[in-house]
Amino acid sequence: MEQKLVSRNKADILSMTEEELVSFVSSELSEPAYRGAQIYSWMQKGASFDEMTNIPSSLRKELSECAEYRLPRIVKRLSSKLDGTVKYLFELSDGERVESVFMKYEHGNTVCVSCQAGCRMGCRFCASTLKGKRRDLLPSEILGQVIAIKRDTGERIGGIVMMGIGEPFDNYDAAVKFLRLVSDEKGLGIGLRHISVSTCGIVPGIKRLAKEGLPVTLSVSLHASDDETRSSIMPINKKYGISELLEACNYYFDKTGRRVSFEYTLIAGKNDGAADAESLAKLLKSGMKSTCHVNLIRLNEVKEISFTGSAAARANAFCEKLNSLGVKATVRRRLGSDINASCGQLRLSASEDEN
Ligand code: SAH
């Protein structure tokens, strides 16, 4: 099933661990283990079959007949002159498009990846979900975004955030496989502690991830401190309410020892008043077993959506209120503000250009 999306009968080898590739190369091509290791290493660098110079050309040809591996193609690249952020629109092998972002932080370069083409979660402020979900991405297609960006920028990549298009826990197996691949020391070797997985709050997914033995940071998109408000902007809240969600976050902390962080998008007049900050502080102080961090994001306005982002002063006041009540919070810096780096918008506008 998975392999079908890449090609009707060719194996999706970039979705394989080194061990899986070694066994594939041995069973399909009767080649020794070291050949599998060589091919694995080349793919992680983004080399094409032709560039795998220490592999005999006859083997490369055989390989290309039974296996397929293609990095996402860069359709658009927007570079910010302000802060070095680069936003990519990628095309996958069947023409679907996703976005990724390369960001420069003081602690290192970070890539934001997409895990689905579109999204079916329906959050009312989000551009990615406006046209629904087209399909899940394969592990190779998520990893391919990182490899392609590394190759394109020539920069070291120290961290990953799964905060692009899609919901990681709605494509659970591929998301977890991606985490294992991208953190493999023989591959890109990105430390799991430098990876954040962001969810709109799919409780079973949080609990499952807690048991994977992957010490990634769980980032939960909360955006409201009461069920009524949250349900009005995030349909998922009707299925898993706030108390159940915080319980799952505590479970995650118990199992992994990793503190959970929360995203809170500030929407003018909806969730950004002093009373909202107080209610959020109360919720997190009473509901969370560990201290946590709140990332405040001023809503990026999307033309199809009627919500307005909070003004900077209001966001700062919200942040100070939380801090004064003992909840650590920061307002996220707007990277790439000159290139519209907010998630889902590039894909949306590109599809409109064509209509
Ligand atoms: N599905 C996951 C990850 C993708 S969205 C999740 O919901 O967490 C990544 C983050 O961007 C989420 O916190 C999401 O709520 C936020 N977001 C979506 N649209 C936004 C917008 N227009 N402005 C600001 N943040 C937005």
Side-chain angles (χ1 to χ4, degrees), residues 125-126 163-164 166-167 198-200 221 223 263 265 299-300 302:
F125 46 83
C126 181
M163 290 186 184
E167 165 55 43
S198 183
T199 178
C200 63
S221 298
H223 307 328
E263 321 275 335
T265 293
L299 179 91
N300 278 301
V302 180

Side-chain angles (χ1 to χ4, degrees), residues 39-342:
I39 296 164
Y40 181 81
S41 162
W42 278 118
M43 285 196 299
Q44 302 289 324
K45 294 188 182 84
S48 65
F49 287 142
D50 285 344
E51 288 167 330
M52 300 182 179
T53 46
N54 59 358
I55 310 286
S57 60
S58 55
L59 174 56
R60 278 187 255 155
K61 188 164 176 289
E62 271 183 81
L63 186 64
S64 67
E65 278 158 14
C66 65
E68 172 139 345
Y69 131 78
R70 222 191 287 170
L71 292 182
R73 185 176 74 80
I74 300 172
V75 178
K76 246 187 206 173
R77 179 199 296 102
L78 301 175
S79 304
S80 167
K81 291 186 179 67
L82 304 174
D83 51 39
T85 301
V86 188
K87 175 137 201 188
Y88 293 89
L89 180 67
F90 282 118
E91 189 168 81
L92 307 175
S93 52
D94 62 350
E96 286 297 338
R97 289 172 170 195
V98 293
E99 292 169 36
S100 323
V101 191
F102 170 84
M103 294 168 287
K104 285 187 166 231
Y105 286 112
E106 270 166 30
H107 56 266
N109 300 328
T110 298
V111 169
C112 174
V113 293
S114 293
C115 64
Q116 295 177 317
C119 182
R120 58 180 184 144
M121 294 297 123
C123 298
R124 290 203 24 226
F125 46 83
C126 181
S128 303
T129 200
L130 280 174
K131 290 189 173 170
K133 181 178 98 168
R134 300 274 301 174
R135 72 165 171 89
D136 289 333
L137 262 55
L138 298 163
S140 57
E141 291 171 323
I142 313 176
L143 183 66
Q145 297 165 50
V146 187
I147 296 175
I149 289 179
K150 188 169 182 205
R151 219 170 132 96
D152 187 59
T153 58
E155 300 254 16
R156 215 189 91 81
I157 293 166
I160 302 283
V161 290
M162 293 193 84
M163 290 186 184
I165 297 169
E167 165 55 43
F169 297 151
D170 190 41
N171 185 15
Y172 186 90
D173 292 339
V176 165
K177 184 73 181 281
F178 162 71
L179 295 174
R180 297 195 196 285
L181 291 170
V182 81
S183 59
D184 179 9
E185 280 176 12
K186 289 186 182 160
L188 294 173
I190 296 172
L192 289 161
R193 286 167 195 280
H194 300 133
I195 301 180
S196 293
V197 177
S198 183
T199 178
C200 63
I202 298 185
V203 164
I206 296 175
K207 292 189 172 164
R208 234 178 122 186
L209 186 67
K211 291 182 277 193
E212 297 283 356
L214 297 168
V216 296
T217 299
L218 175 71
S219 188
V220 173
S221 298
L222 193 57
H223 307 328
S225 53
D226 66 89
D227 279 318
E228 195 188 337
T229 311
R230 193 165 192 269
S231 294
S232 76
I233 51 176
M234 302 178 74
I236 192 73
N237 196 67
K238 293 178 192 146
K239 194 157 184 195
Y240 310 108
I242 292 177
S243 67
E244 206 186 335
L245 177 57
L246 294 194
E247 205 182 290
C249 293
N250 283 323
Y251 179 81
Y252 190 84
F253 174 71
D254 284 343
K255 284 272 170 199
T256 63
R258 305 279 299 158
R259 267 180 276 170
V260 175
S261 71
F262 293 95
E263 321 275 335
Y264 192 101
T265 293
L266 291 161
I267 309 173
K270 185 82 186 163
N271 64 359
D272 68 341
D276 297 303
E278 278 167 25
S279 136
L280 179 61
K282 201 168 150 202
L283 176 76
L284 295 179
K285 293 209 83 162
S286 64
M288 289 303 294
K289 281 188 184 172
S290 66
T291 55
C292 50
H293 189 269
V294 179
N295 285 309
L296 298 167
I297 315 159
R298 286 161 56 207
L299 179 91
N300 278 301
E301 285 162 25
V302 180
K303 77 172 187 312
E304 292 78 1
I305 295 169
S306 58
F307 292 133
T308 314
S310 307
R314 201 162 163 90
N316 290 337
F318 193 98
C319 186
E320 276 162 28
K321 186 92 198 167
L322 285 180
N323 284 326
S324 74
L325 294 170
V327 173
K328 269 191 263 162
T330 42
V331 181
R332 188 176 289 166
R333 209 155 48 95
R334 276 192 164 165
L335 288 176
S337 54
D338 54 334
I339 53 166
N340 201 1
S342 158

Side-chain angles (χ1 to χ4, degrees), residues 18-34:
E18 189 193 55
E19 205 185 341
E20 287 165 346
L21 187 65
V22 163
S23 111
F24 172 81
V25 162
S26 133
S27 64
E28 294 294 314
L29 306 167
S30 312
E31 287 289 331
Y34 78 92

